[in-house]
Amino acid sequence: MIGPEKRKDLVRTIHFPIWPEVLSASPLAGRVKHSFEITIRWYLGFCRRGRAEVHVQSARDFIAWATEQKRPQPWQLEEWKDA
């Protein structure tokens, strides 16, 4: 069972409109940045289509959905989670 404080963290809406700029300026390798950008945009589209807020629980829901739908290799799933 999840305690009240932990539950609050799962539904706290995340607002980070400058994520593309921050990602671009990060020290990550170019291939990783590109992969993260694709995954983040995919997740945001998932939220828009489902009219879900951007928060920890919707990210978990996205990963569960993507895993079921796309059957990724273990390395792909880890990369999606990292993004």
Side-chain angles (χ1 to χ4, degrees):
M1 178 169 242
I2 298 174
E5 286 305 308
K6 185 67 173 172
R7 193 173 300 122
K8 230 188 283 184
D9 288 343
L10 294 176
V11 295
R12 185 180 309 146
T13 301
I14 299 167
H15 183 71
F16 190 33
I18 62 167
W19 70 265
E21 291 85 355
V22 173
L23 179 61
S24 178
S26 79
L28 296 169
R31 184 202 69 77
V32 175
K33 286 182 194 182
H34 183 70
S35 176
F36 280 16
E37 180 180 0
I38 290 168
T39 304
I40 292 167
R41 289 187 189 282
W42 186 25
Y43 163 63
L44 294 174
F46 170 85
C47 289
R48 265 192 305 281
R49 285 187 305 279
R51 291 185 166 61
E53 302 240 358
V54 175
H55 49 68
V56 173
Q57 187 57 53
S58 66
R60 288 182 178 153
D61 293 344
F62 167 73
I63 291 297
W65 170 83
T67 300
E68 182 179 312
Q69 294 295 311
K70 303 298 182 183
R71 305 276 186 220
Q73 296 294 315
W75 66 267
Q76 288 173 307
L77 180 59
E78 284 309 307
E79 202 166 271
W80 295 348
K81 288 178 180 180
D82 288 346

